[in-house]
Amino acid sequence: ACSEYEGVPRLDGTPSRDETIDRYERLSGRAVRNLRYNEVLAAVALGIPVSRLETRLRSEGLLTGDFDLAGFCVGQIRQRLG
């Protein structure tokens, strides 16, 4: 999903979201519950430090232009809540 966000096709052999969920359920013997909530929570939990990292890199001049490190997280949150 992250590479697809950047416009890079998924690598051959990389499982889809549904395949990953199916595999988890099969191997763990547990049903996935509250997936939407957990996906939003994961995106927020990742987005906070990434946003701080982006701010620091910009202040040190190591990241310039409109490159958006946290954009993937924001996109995931919008997609899940939209």
Side-chain angles (χ1 to χ4, degrees):
C2 189
S3 64
E4 291 167 337
Y5 169 78
E6 292 291 330
V8 177
R10 181 185 299 269
L11 293 174
D12 289 340
T14 303
S16 68
R17 179 176 181 266
D18 289 337
E19 290 170 330
T20 301
I21 293 167
D22 289 343
R23 180 179 171 92
Y24 172 84
E25 289 180 333
R26 191 170 17 88
L27 293 176
S28 70
R30 304 178 82 172
V32 171
R33 299 181 350 212
N34 305 315
L35 182 59
R36 182 176 169 201
Y37 170 82
N38 284 293
E39 287 175 328
V40 170
L41 179 62
V44 169
L46 177 61
I48 292 169
V50 169
S51 179
R52 291 186 62 167
L53 174 63
E54 182 174 354
T55 299
R56 184 169 187 167
L57 291 174
R58 285 190 191 286
S59 72
E60 295 178 9
L62 299 172
L63 186 63
T64 59
D66 61 353
F67 191 79
D68 184 7
L69 288 178
F72 170 74
C73 298
V74 172
Q76 288 296 305
I77 294 166
R78 283 186 180 141
Q79 183 180 6
R80 302 293 176 240
L81 295 179

